[in-house]
Amino acid sequence: MRTLTRTNKRLFTPFALAVSAALSLTACGSGDGSGSGGTDARAAAETGKIPATDVVSAVKAYEPAARLLPAGVHDLTVGVAVSGQLPGTSYLDDGKTLVGQDIDFSDAVAKTLGIRLKLEPASFEAILPALGSGKYDFGASNFGVTDERRKTIDFVTYINDGQGFAARKDSGLTKITELKQLCGLNVATGAGTTFEATLEKNKHVCTDAGKKAYGVQTYSESGALWSSLQQGRSDVVMSTINGLRYAVAQQPGLKFLNEYHRLDVGFAFKKGTKLAAAFQAAVNHLIADGTYETILKKWGTTDSAISTSRISPPELKN
């Protein structure tokens, strides 16, 4: 399960490799040094290595959860987006082995259910549309639960993350609390994400206020996104709260601006899946036996803990 049958080499431009290496240092905390962190993440930052603690191999099958699987399910294919931005999914130096928080959670759930996973790298924006065709049995790439997505996708939640902003330290931006603060600026974000949807949906706040609308620049590769910011082609980045905190901790000259909007994050399935109950039971078992907290501590993301897994809850409105 650790060696992939397909490698997306397109992600590894020279700059993307440099950024991935920087992000792989995996310190946690916001730009001002606040926020919770994990011992493994802090130690990794000191040595320049990805957290190496094995938090999955000791997980045992849990029969009450496994019995909820549809009959005959032994292998599942999971679509994962390789952003290169930890604690999201990234490759190790071998260019084949995937690591990250989503990988650890997927592996832990699979072991709890006694099934095997086939990890398939894909672009973030391609995974959700492919669930309906059966190309992937589920997706695990920090998919935020939104009311729009719930129309066609079922979710089983496992963390709480959300939307935030970062900019260069020389930027005049400080704490972003409303999108009107972005008017006239260029905002870089991931293609096919909730960030892109939020930005596009709310462009009118600038024109309604008689101001120039902000521009939305979308990227499928983490390296290209951060390059646009560092080289001045964009003014601010909108991305995951956890991912931004990692990036700011490891890339010089950046600052974390704010948590803008929290979202539940879940494994994504096609609507009407029969796998949801088993996955929910597996996540709740991992929470109960302490494995869940161990994974969060490894990646320094304990602020993203949830108390119980839910199936397709309403979008958080905060």
Side-chain angles (χ1 to χ4, degrees):
M1 153 169 155
R2 286 281 187 255
T3 301
L4 301 179
T5 57
R6 180 157 56 94
T7 299
N8 191 349
K9 297 296 185 183
R10 181 177 61 86
L11 293 170
F12 288 89
T13 62
F15 191 87
L17 281 169
V19 172
S20 294
L23 294 175
S24 295
L25 299 180
T26 62
C28 189
S30 64
D32 61 3
S34 63
S36 65
T39 301
D40 293 336
R42 288 195 298 269
E46 294 172 0
T47 61
K49 296 179 180 179
I50 292 174
T53 302
D54 178 359
V55 293
V56 175
S57 65
V59 175
K60 305 297 183 184
Y62 180 60
E63 186 59 29
R67 283 199 299 267
L68 297 175
L69 285 170
V73 172
H74 304 292
D75 303 84
L76 294 176
T77 299
V78 52
V80 292
V82 187
S83 68
Q85 179 170 303
L86 294 168
T89 303
S90 184
Y91 285 111
L92 289 181
D93 290 341
D94 62 11
K96 297 185 294 183
T97 306
L98 289 175
V99 293
Q101 182 170 259
D102 293 321
I103 300 301
D104 280 346
F105 275 121
S106 298
D107 286 351
V109 166
K111 290 183 71 68
T112 300
L113 297 176
I115 59 176
R116 295 181 296 271
L117 293 184
K118 180 183 180 183
L119 304 177
E120 285 284 350
S123 62
F124 183 91
E125 64 270 26
I127 295 174
L128 296 185
L131 294 174
S133 68
K135 182 175 182 179
Y136 311 118
D137 295 300
F138 70 101
S141 292
N142 208 77
F143 289 111
V145 180
T146 68
D147 290 339
E148 182 63 28
R149 284 176 173 172
R150 289 194 307 131
K151 295 176 182 178
T152 57
I153 301 294
D154 282 338
F155 292 94
V156 174
T157 62
Y158 59 96
I159 58 169
N160 175 271
D161 193 352
Q163 304 172 337
F165 294 95
R168 296 182 303 276
K169 281 189 176 179
D170 60 7
S171 169
L173 294 169
T174 54
K175 183 177 182 179
I176 294 180
T177 58
E178 58 179 351
L179 295 182
K180 280 194 293 186
Q181 293 171 261
L182 303 175
C183 295
L185 302 179
N186 289 319
V187 186
T189 194
T193 62
T194 59
F195 321 118
E196 180 185 7
T198 296
L199 290 168
E200 292 291 354
K201 179 181 178 181
N202 292 285
K203 273 187 175 181
H204 66 88
V205 301
C206 294
T207 54
D208 289 351
K211 299 181 179 181
K212 181 181 178 181
Y214 50 75
V216 182
Q217 302 171 333
T218 59
Y219 299 91
S220 295
E221 301 175 6
S222 175
L225 183 149
W226 289 110
S227 177
S228 75
L229 182 67
Q230 296 283 28
Q231 296 178 12
R233 296 192 304 276
S234 60
D235 303 292
V236 60
V237 167
M238 188 179 190
S239 190
T240 66
I241 293 167
N242 288 332
L244 289 174
R245 284 176 165 163
Y246 269 95
V248 167
Q250 297 308 318
Q251 292 191 68
L254 299 182
K255 59 183 177 181
F256 180 69
L257 298 178
N258 191 37
E259 292 187 8
Y260 177 70
H261 177 45
R262 280 272 175 177
L263 286 172
D264 288 319
V265 170
F267 298 113
F269 305 83
K270 68 178 180 181
K271 196 72 176 176
T273 181
K274 295 182 180 180
L275 296 170
F279 271 66
Q280 180 191 33
V283 173
N284 283 330
H285 177 67
L286 293 169
I287 292 173
D289 76 3
T291 302
Y292 179 83
E293 183 178 10
T294 301
I295 293 174
L296 292 181
K297 284 183 176 179
K298 172 181 176 178
W299 295 105
T301 56
T302 53
D303 282 346
S304 287
I306 60 173
S307 59
T308 187
S309 175
R310 296 190 293 168
I311 297 175
S312 297
E315 179 180 348
L316 294 176
K317 303 293 185 180
N318 59 333

